[in-house]
Amino acid sequence: MAVQSVESSTTSSTSGAFGPAVALSCRECGERFELGPIFACEACFGPLEVAYELPAGDPEGLRRQIEAGPNSIWRYAPLLPVPADVAELPSLNPGFTQLVKADNLARELGVTGELHIKDDSGNPTHSFKDRVVAIAVQAARTFGFTTLSCSSTGNLAGAVGAAAARAGFRSCVFIPHDLEAGKVVMAAVYGGELVGIEGTYDDVNRFCSELIGDPAGEGWGFVNVNLRPYYGEGSKTLAYEICEQLGWRLPDQIVVPIASGSQLTKIDKGLKELIAIGLVEDRPYKIFGAQAEGCSPVSAAFKAGHDVVRPQKPRTIAKSLAIGNPADGPYVLDIARRTGGAVEDVNDEQIVDAIKLLARTEGIFAETAGGVTVGVTKKLIEDGLLDPSLTTVVLNTGDGLKTLDAVAPTTGPSAIIRPTLDSFREAGLA
Amino acid sequence: MAVQSVESSTTSSTSGAFGPAVALSCRECGERFELGPIFACEACFGPLEVAYELPAGDPEGLRRQIEAGPNSIWRYAPLLPVPADVAELPSLNPGFTQLVKADNLARELGVTGELHIKDDSGNPTHSFKDRVVAIAVQAARTFGFTTLSCSSTGNLAGAVGAAAARAGFRSCVFIPHDLEAGKVVMAAVYGGELVGIEGTYDDVNRFCSELIGDPAGEGWGFVNVNLRPYYGEGSKTLAYEICEQLGWRLPDQIVVPIASGSQLTKIDKGLKELIAIGLVEDRPYKIFGAQAEGCSPVSAAFKAGHDVVRPQKPRTIAKSLAIGNPADGPYVLDIARRTGGAVEDVNDEQIVDAIKLLARTEGIFAETAGGVTVGVTKKLIEDGLLDPSLTTVVLNTGDGLKTLDAVAPTTGPSAIIRPTLDSFREAGLA
């Protein structure tokens, strides 16, 4: 299945369906393959990623084209593995979420440069997962899959269910059977099949891999398995949007949460692409990774100076980041070290404090993953690892409404009073 | 305090702070007042609303100006009671939410024309309340208020808390003491004062009116009381966005939920303004109101042919619409009758069915108010009151994550299986 040159893949039957993408390329050995529903290198079992022939030579024209595009990730269609007319196809149209200039938070953290929150809770199902799923859906359409699937601990299940409903796919998603009731409702309400698996998330994952190899899984696109190379590209749009919203300028520092590590690697890929095309000036940037102490395999490896990541058994309130054996961990270590960044972690109490800090200063109610990035930013500044005089962007990848339990025990009314002015005055609130 | 002419108010100390707004005008008797933190006519106690001198003579130029503006309600600053530089001031920057072409839902409902969902769950705190609060915050800034307040059953409390945090106001909001725990967390997390009142929502409201007249309430802006004329104008932006997103075209039919009725009247006001300025062609449109059967005072009055609205005691799962004595009810009746629309209601079971229908067809998880509008749309088509061959826009004003309880009892996994292919096949899902 390996191809000798870029040309052979662009003349395939799916020509145009993947826009500027020309092949899948092994991240480990560089072997190239035709664009297809595959995710591991036949030669070395390394992960595959999308390779492009990106538009070059007219950055000004491209910039104008992007700025005139839709208010969604599809404005970046010329840089994604999607057809040029992708915005006309049914999709949740995620992305182009707010980049919030966080002056109040900056003051509290002693940041004298610009501090921004990239707030991805504004996506259709209120997490960054809508970005990655949107690209996977488009690939599923091209490959002729009729069922969309995934293994999930909740957020991804909802994103897949919603995207499938809009785009006209059947969906069948798999979750551990003992998820919180709220997450089950969110995953089931879109009307697809939702299957609870008696086992852990790892059991769910293993089962999905089995299903892909079985006739029962024929015609199924698993967004985070056999469509993973396309899915992952959705995270590049975070990098594109941040730079465009900064006025086509690289941030000096970015703080990114780490679950599998994929998002961080794709943000780096996106920034490098913008530099290569000439859409932003080529100058250094630092990427910082953020983990929860209760699931900090990458942070531990970074601090120990290791190149390999030793798996951990997760135990943290930041459940959307609770991947104990992150597939892209080693790549994250590379990027943090190459760019001069770092990987840090915060404990559950610091996560809750950071959620409240962000809410109190900027009116943004983040899910626990946002508490992790804001908490880590605070810690990095205190430790002198993040320069408070530069331009920094911190990611919030999800919505506090999905992780209410994290703050509920310590968040309530200031007072309960009778409906009288006397009672109000007694409470000392006037 | 009444003013004789428009000129005297524009020369006040707040000149420019209210943009094209020139006075407050009594909806009942037409008496005009200076722009200030007042909400009832001194002459007849009628409600006050903002009067404008809107930009005229160059609709093309205005259209270009709007299209080049920010992706928020501030693109319509030339039509709102805000200064021209409002987008530079700290705000949650709500609005410009997606208008979703709902082809799948259209098929299910037998709509042969265009059907669109205006999905306001995409706002920063995931309800349309962010629009109205943003305008009230700007007025509070101009009037020199330092504390933002409101009476709320939950959603508004969160919107005010978040907006106050971003804009640098103290906030103190009042809620009935026995609200659901989730709503309390959402209202409290932004760090302002949250006060539970031992009593009903009516008791909370009465208490707020008392507090406005007391020295303890000095310097306080109650967004839905003494800032209500400004607050209400935020809903006009729904009309502006719908028309712009349709390509500067009026929809033929709009279905709007009714709580106090304010939103529906302001959407009508917004459409009339666009016609007057020449931004859209002047042709007929119909506005339909949607209520829950368990709180349907306006629907009941419409069907009985009455001009007055007889209060009801609310008993419905659509709590954000549960206002038994809607202040703008008579105006809603006028508008529905004048435009050739109607007011209809659906019961709790139909609301839940409609939430699921919208989720299943379009991947939009609406709160109960969205179930009301979609359910009413279905009923209006079945009854021949809404023409399925025309262009129809249905509002979803909030997010399903806030009313999970409505669908939870009937929404769950299709199957629970062991992590084996045999178990999967037995479940009949292949």
Side-chain angles (χ1 to χ4, degrees):
Chain A
M1 191 147 11
V3 294
Q4 296 314 309
S5 77
V6 150
E7 285 67 45
S8 64
S9 69
T10 52
T11 55
S12 77
S13 62
T14 55
S15 178
F18 292 104
V22 292
L24 293 177
S25 151
C26 176
R27 179 133 194 175
E28 286 297 326
C29 73
E31 182 78 23
R32 287 193 158 210
F33 302 88
E34 262 187 47
L35 290 159
I38 52 172
F39 55 103
C41 175
E42 284 177 3
C44 76
F45 302 107
L48 301 182
E49 61 178 9
V50 177
Y52 298 90
E53 277 183 356
L54 290 176
D58 181 18
E60 264 315 313
L62 180 57
R63 202 178 289 175
R64 274 196 304 276
Q65 183 186 343
I66 290 170
E67 288 172 352
N71 292 325
S72 70
I73 59 171
W74 303 133
R75 66 201 281 112
Y76 306 106
L79 310 176
L80 295 171
V82 296
D85 67 347
V86 65
E88 311 300 316
L89 302 168
S91 152
L92 295 183
N93 301 315
F96 218 53
T97 56
Q98 289 197 39
L99 184 72
V100 175
K101 188 141 183 297
D103 293 344
N104 301 330
L105 179 62
R107 264 191 301 278
E108 295 249 356
L109 296 182
V111 170
T112 54
E114 283 177 33
L115 181 64
H116 300 263
I117 303 291
K118 179 61 176 172
D119 185 14
D120 246 18
S121 67
N123 276 314
T125 73
H126 307 319
S127 90
F128 92 98
K129 293 287 185 191
D130 291 325
R131 297 177 184 271
V132 287
V133 169
I135 311 277
V137 167
Q138 183 48 40
R141 194 176 267 142
T142 301
F143 296 135
F145 291 139
T146 50
T147 297
L148 285 177
S149 186
C150 69
S151 54
S152 168
T153 59
N155 278 346
L156 182 58
V160 168
R166 177 79 59 87
F169 287 79
R170 176 176 180 257
S171 70
C172 183
V173 306
F174 299 93
I175 56 172
H177 74 294
D178 56 355
L179 277 194
E180 304 94 306
K183 283 196 179 162
V184 173
V185 170
M186 284 153 46
V189 74
Y190 301 104
E193 307 288 354
L194 176 73
V195 180
I197 298 272
E198 291 171 351
T200 66
Y201 178 64
D202 287 329
D203 294 322
V204 178
N205 251 334
R206 260 192 304 273
F207 169 75
C208 286
S209 299
E210 264 189 84
L211 188 51
I212 287 175
D214 190 86
E218 228 177 84
W220 288 41
F222 289 79
V223 300
N224 56 347
V225 189
N226 59 349
L227 297 173
R228 190 169 185 86
Y230 310 93
Y231 170 91
E233 295 297 285
S235 288
K236 290 196 311 180
T237 58
L238 279 162
Y240 300 155
E241 290 179 17
I242 288 168
C243 291
E244 179 178 356
Q245 290 170 323
L246 286 175
W248 295 107
R249 177 167 61 100
L250 288 170
D252 298 308
Q253 305 168 127
I254 309 189
V255 184
V256 182
I258 301 172
S260 74
S262 166
Q263 185 182 64
L264 189 146
T265 69
K266 297 301 181 179
I267 286 175
D268 181 56
K269 190 182 182 193
L271 296 178
K272 286 198 286 189
E273 286 173 357
L274 293 188
I275 293 171
I277 303 167
L279 283 178
V280 296
E281 193 189 348
D282 185 5
R283 56 190 193 79
Y285 57 84
K286 295 182 179 183
I287 300 189
F288 296 84
Q291 294 207 294
E293 189 182 287
C295 181
S296 53
V298 188
S299 170
F302 182 86
K303 290 174 184 173
H306 294 163
D307 289 334
V308 292
V309 172
R310 188 176 301 172
Q312 291 182 0
K313 198 173 157 61
R315 198 172 156 178
T316 168
I317 58 168
K319 297 207 173 110
S320 60
L321 303 183
I323 298 185
N325 188 13
D328 287 324
Y331 303 122
V332 167
L333 291 171
D334 281 353
I335 292 167
R337 288 175 179 139
R338 170 173 54 76
T339 65
V343 184
E344 188 50 274
D345 56 86
V346 283
N347 64 33
D348 284 358
E349 196 185 331
Q350 292 167 317
I351 294 169
V352 171
D353 286 349
I355 291 174
K356 291 184 182 178
L357 173 65
L358 181 61
R360 176 168 59 78
T361 53
E362 301 298 339
I364 296 171
F365 184 22
E367 70 150 40
T368 43
V372 168
T373 51
V374 171
V376 160
T377 301
K378 183 167 184 284
K379 198 167 175 182
L380 289 167
I381 292 170
E382 286 163 2
D383 294 348
L385 293 171
L386 190 135
D387 186 338
S389 72
L390 301 177
T391 296
T392 304
V393 174
V394 179
L395 263 61
N396 171 41
T397 51
D399 201 294
L401 285 178
K402 295 190 180 189
T403 56
L404 281 174
D405 290 348
V407 294
T410 58
T411 306
S414 329
I416 304 283
I417 65 170
R418 296 185 306 286
T420 68
L421 290 170
D422 280 347
S423 182
F424 177 69
R425 286 198 194 88
E426 280 161 24
L429 294 163
Chain B
M1 189 140 23
V3 293
Q4 295 315 307
S5 77
V6 151
E7 283 68 43
S8 63
S9 69
T10 54
T11 56
S12 77
S13 62
T14 55
S15 179
F18 292 104
V22 292
L24 293 178
S25 150
C26 175
R27 179 133 192 174
E28 285 297 327
C29 73
E31 182 78 23
R32 285 192 160 211
F33 301 88
E34 264 187 48
L35 291 159
I38 52 172
F39 54 102
C41 175
E42 285 177 4
C44 77
F45 303 108
L48 300 182
E49 62 177 7
V50 177
Y52 298 89
E53 276 182 0
L54 291 175
D58 182 18
E60 263 316 312
L62 180 58
R63 201 179 289 176
R64 275 196 305 273
Q65 183 186 344
I66 291 170
E67 288 172 353
N71 291 325
S72 70
I73 58 170
W74 304 134
R75 66 202 283 115
Y76 305 108
L79 309 178
L80 295 171
V82 297
D85 67 347
V86 65
E88 311 300 316
L89 302 168
S91 151
L92 295 183
N93 300 316
F96 218 53
T97 55
Q98 289 197 39
L99 183 73
V100 175
K101 188 143 183 294
D103 292 344
N104 300 330
L105 179 62
R107 263 191 300 279
E108 295 249 357
L109 296 183
V111 171
T112 53
E114 283 178 33
L115 181 64
H116 300 264
I117 303 290
K118 179 62 175 172
D119 185 14
D120 245 19
S121 66
N123 276 313
T125 73
H126 307 319
S127 88
F128 91 98
K129 294 285 187 192
D130 291 325
R131 298 177 183 270
V132 287
V133 170
I135 310 279
V137 167
Q138 184 48 41
R141 194 177 266 140
T142 301
F143 296 134
F145 291 139
T146 51
T147 298
L148 285 177
S149 187
C150 68
S151 55
S152 168
T153 58
N155 278 344
L156 182 59
V160 167
R166 177 77 60 84
F169 286 79
R170 175 176 180 260
S171 70
C172 183
V173 305
F174 299 93
I175 56 172
H177 74 293
D178 56 355
L179 278 193
E180 305 94 306
K183 282 198 179 159
V184 173
V185 170
M186 283 153 47
V189 74
Y190 301 105
E193 308 288 355
L194 176 71
V195 180
I197 298 272
E198 291 171 351
T200 64
Y201 178 65
D202 287 330
D203 294 322
V204 178
N205 251 335
R206 259 192 304 273
F207 169 74
C208 287
S209 298
E210 264 189 85
L211 188 51
I212 287 176
D214 190 86
E218 226 177 86
W220 288 41
F222 289 78
V223 301
N224 55 348
V225 189
N226 58 351
L227 297 173
R228 191 169 185 86
Y230 310 93
Y231 170 90
E233 294 298 285
S235 288
K236 289 196 313 179
T237 59
L238 279 162
Y240 300 155
E241 292 180 16
I242 288 167
C243 290
E244 180 179 355
Q245 291 170 322
L246 286 175
W248 297 108
R249 178 167 59 99
L250 288 170
D252 299 307
Q253 306 170 124
I254 308 188
V255 183
V256 183
I258 300 172
S260 73
S262 166
Q263 184 181 64
L264 188 146
T265 69
K266 298 301 181 179
I267 286 175
D268 180 57
K269 190 181 183 195
L271 295 178
K272 286 197 285 189
E273 286 173 358
L274 293 187
I275 293 171
I277 303 167
L279 284 177
V280 296
E281 193 190 347
D282 185 5
R283 56 189 193 80
Y285 58 83
K286 295 182 180 184
I287 301 189
F288 296 83
Q291 295 208 293
E293 187 182 289
C295 181
S296 52
V298 188
S299 170
F302 182 86
K303 290 174 185 175
H306 294 162
D307 289 333
V308 292
V309 172
R310 186 177 302 172
Q312 291 183 0
K313 199 172 159 61
R315 199 173 158 178
T316 167
I317 57 169
K319 297 208 173 111
S320 60
L321 304 184
I323 297 185
N325 189 13
D328 287 325
Y331 303 122
V332 167
L333 291 172
D334 280 353
I335 292 167
R337 288 177 179 139
R338 170 172 54 78
T339 64
V343 185
E344 187 51 275
D345 56 87
V346 283
N347 65 32
D348 284 359
E349 194 185 332
Q350 291 168 317
I351 294 169
V352 171
D353 285 349
I355 291 174
K356 292 184 180 177
L357 174 64
L358 181 61
R360 175 167 61 77
T361 52
E362 300 299 338
I364 296 171
F365 184 20
E367 70 151 40
T368 43
V372 168
T373 51
V374 171
V376 161
T377 302
K378 184 166 183 284
K379 199 167 174 181
L380 289 169
I381 293 169
E382 287 163 1
D383 294 346
L385 293 171
L386 191 136
D387 186 338
S389 71
L390 301 177
T391 295
T392 303
V393 174
V394 179
L395 264 61
N396 171 40
T397 51
D399 202 292
L401 285 176
K402 296 191 180 187
T403 55
L404 281 174
D405 290 348
V407 294
T410 57
T411 306
S414 329
I416 305 284
I417 66 170
R418 296 185 307 283
T420 67
L421 291 171
D422 280 349
S423 183
F424 177 68
R425 285 196 195 91
E426 281 161 23
L429 295 163

